[in-house]
Structures are given as C-alpha cells and as structure tokens.
Amino acid sequence: LDFVGVDHYFRDVVSQLLKCRSDKPLEYMHNFFLTVKGMEHTAHREFAFVRSTAHNRHAFILTCERAFGHFHDTDKMVPGDLHQLLLLICPDFPESIIQEAAGLLSPPEGPTSMLEFETLRTAFFIFFFYHEYLVSLRKHICRPLGHGSDGGGGGGGAGKTAPSFQVASSRLISPAEIKDHMNSCASTPCKALGVVPWELTRNIFLDGDGHERFTMPAAEFMDRLLRHRDLARRLRRPPVARERVSREAAEEIAALFQRFDATEVAGGSEEDERTAPRTGTK
C-alpha cells in the first residue's frame, strides 16, 4: 500500500467528503477508489494533486491521450497551444513545464517555435512524468543560457524574459555518470517509479551499429531522451505491473468497504429486531 501511495488517496477522499457531505460516505469512498483504479480520477483536478504521485501523473497522461485523439502527429503548434489544451483538463497547469520541455530539445525551441504535435507531446509527457528526476539531472549536467562564467551576452533587459534551458553543448557525459545519478535518485521502490528505466536510457548511448558510445554531448543526450518514442509509448498505455498492484490495493479497499456496509446493514437489522414490538404468542 505504501508503494501505491494509498495514504495520499485516503487523505484526498476524506477531504472531498468533508466538502461534499455525502449521505453515503462509504459508497462515495468506494466509487472514488474505483476511479483511481481505472486511472480516471485526475481530470479537472488541481495541479498539486495531478503531479503528487506516479500513478496520478500516468493517469493524467492517459487523460490527455483521450482528449488529444483528434490531433494528427504532423499537426503544427507552439508550446502555448498545448498549454491552452492542458488548461481544459487541469485549470491551474503551469505553462513553465511545457516551455522547459521544449527548451531542452535541440536546437532549443522557444515559446513561438512551431513544433509537430508528436514531438511536442512526446517531450511533454516524458518531462512531466519524470519531472523531478529530469530537473535533478538537468542540474547535474546542464546550465541555463546566460548563466555561464563568462557573464557576457546577457543584456540589461534580458533578465525580464522567460529563461532558456538550452544545455551547454560542450559538456560531455558518459553512461556510467548517468547511471550513478539514476541510482542516487532511485533510493526507494516508490522513488524508482519516477526515474527513467536504465534499459531505455542506455539505448540513447547506442550508435547505429548497436555499439555503446563512451561519451555524448549533454545537449544531444537530453534531446534524444525527450524524443524517446519507446519511453513515450510506455507512458501512453496503462502500466502492467503497477496496474496489477494498484488493482489489488483497490480491490482490498473495496472489499473492506463492502464488509463495513454489510456490518452496518446487519447491525441495523439486529437493532430493528430488538426494538420492534413483539406480536403473537410463544
């Protein structure tokens, strides 16, 4: 249950119950956990809830997939267009996440750059789901433009513009360096859910002949990671292993609520029998 983060959902459903004052709280909780199990519980929820667990982030991506079904992969849009679409699903979704994802592509894409929908969607899904890990990785291997030691080229008004997240092209990274950082971020099974799987990360370092490159420019690595279609495809379908764990947890909770309901009904029947007037002779 700790792996699934069920305590987080208990706190949330209790908070919602206090707001809606349902006459049937156990039934309300039962239905809530069924929507969590079905990964249909993040639409129109606040961003803090949407990003709070790996299960929620994945459910939000699946909700986006259903909402974006009428778009073609080759349709063009700017990052701001995608943000407007996301606001229909999550009213306070921050635009900065989409801009950061686009900014880490190579060449870096600015707020007005037209991108194919498939490219922008893939970069956003990966950056959103693995946001905490990728921000940590970016700090490890990247630097924002204009923050170098030379201090030149940043005019007086430049600080007023949105930050650029282009990676320093001269920085070289190795598979071992990435794996060490990955291991430090995946200290628990729950945290490991938010780290890009090593088998997919390692593939980024393979050349056309399947040989592993010893080093790679950091900008190229981040670009290839955010364009990783196999990784994006994983996020666009329900996870098998986590779905099984989540389903079992949800079924346990649902069974618990059903037992409570049965106890209440039985208790009510016994009370009725005790208080009902007795008729007839013995």
Side-chain angles (χ1 to χ4, degrees), residues 141-271:
I141 67 174
C142 312
R143 64 175 176 84
L145 283 183
H147 289 243
S149 57
D150 56 12
K160 301 296 184 180
T161 60
S164 171
F165 297 94
Q166 183 180 3
V167 180
S169 58
S170 59
R171 173 78 156 89
L172 294 177
I173 56 173
S174 66
E177 181 182 359
I178 296 298
K179 190 170 186 179
D180 286 344
H181 185 75
M182 180 184 299
N183 290 336
S184 69
C185 294
S187 55
T188 67
C190 188
K191 289 183 177 181
L193 290 175
V195 175
V196 179
W198 170 244
E199 67 271 16
L200 296 179
T201 304
R202 182 178 177 271
N203 289 342
I204 295 175
F205 286 92
L206 300 181
D207 60 23
D209 297 324
H211 301 131
E212 186 172 286
R213 296 165 61 177
F214 294 109
T215 60
M216 174 182 291
E220 180 184 352
F221 173 80
M222 294 301 290
D223 175 71
R224 295 182 66 175
L225 179 58
L226 290 179
R227 295 178 188 268
H228 205 307
R229 294 192 175 184
D230 287 342
L231 181 56
R233 275 194 288 268
R234 283 194 180 193
L235 297 176
R236 289 159 58 182
R237 61 174 182 257
V240 177
R242 191 156 70 249
E243 165 67 18
R244 178 182 57 78
V245 175
S246 301
R247 183 176 64 251
E248 290 173 355
E251 288 173 351
E252 286 183 25
I253 295 167
L256 180 64
F257 291 154
Q258 289 172 348
R259 288 199 295 273
F260 284 159
D261 286 338
T263 301
E264 285 188 352
V265 171
S269 300
E270 292 174 1
E271 182 67 21

Side-chain angles (χ1 to χ4, degrees), residues 7 11 51 57 63 87 96 118 135 139 156 183 190 208 223:
D7 58 330
R11 288 194 297 269
R51 70 178 297 272
R57 294 193 299 276
T63 300
L87 290 178
S96 59
E118 171 66 10
V135 168
K139 290 179 180 179
N183 290 336
C190 188
D223 175 71

Side-chain angles (χ1 to χ4, degrees), residues 32-218:
F32 171 84
F33 279 100
L34 287 179
T35 64
V36 172
K37 169 196 168 186
M39 304 185 87
E40 299 173 345
H41 62 295
T42 57
H44 311 299
R45 293 298 305 270
E46 64 280 3
F47 179 70
F49 177 81
V50 166
R51 70 178 297 272
S52 57
T53 68
H55 184 78
N56 283 6
R57 294 193 299 276
H58 205 152
F60 184 75
I61 288 173
L62 295 179
T63 300
C64 290
E65 272 293 279
R66 292 190 292 269
F68 300 162
H70 62 287
F71 285 98
H72 298 97
D73 290 348
T74 55
D75 288 344
K76 296 291 186 71
M77 65 173 59
V78 298
D81 294 334
L82 179 59
H83 179 239
Q84 292 301 312
L85 293 172
L86 292 173
L87 290 178
L88 300 175
I89 307 172
C90 176
D92 63 339
F93 199 97
E95 186 175 5
S96 59
I97 290 184
I98 301 100
Q99 298 294 356
E100 287 182 62
L104 286 171
L105 297 174
S106 185
E109 306 293 349
T112 60
S113 299
M114 296 292 289
L115 291 166
E116 287 192 350
F117 178 67
E118 171 66 10
T119 299
L120 185 57
R121 174 181 61 178
T122 296
F124 164 66
F125 283 172
I126 294 173
F127 192 73
F128 170 66
F129 186 82
Y130 296 107
H131 184 256
E132 185 175 344
Y133 167 67
L134 291 179
V135 168
S136 172
L137 182 61
R138 186 184 65 199
K139 290 179 180 179
H140 181 70
I141 67 174
C142 312
R143 64 175 176 84
L145 283 183
H147 289 243
S149 57
D150 56 12
K160 301 296 184 180
T161 60
S164 171
F165 297 94
Q166 183 180 3
V167 180
S169 58
S170 59
R171 173 78 156 89
L172 294 177
I173 56 173
S174 66
E177 181 182 359
I178 296 298
K179 190 170 186 179
D180 286 344
H181 185 75
M182 180 184 299
N183 290 336
S184 69
C185 294
S187 55
T188 67
C190 188
K191 289 183 177 181
L193 290 175
V195 175
V196 179
W198 170 244
E199 67 271 16
L200 296 179
T201 304
R202 182 178 177 271
N203 289 342
I204 295 175
F205 286 92
L206 300 181
D207 60 23
D209 297 324
H211 301 131
E212 186 172 286
R213 296 165 61 177
F214 294 109
T215 60
M216 174 182 291

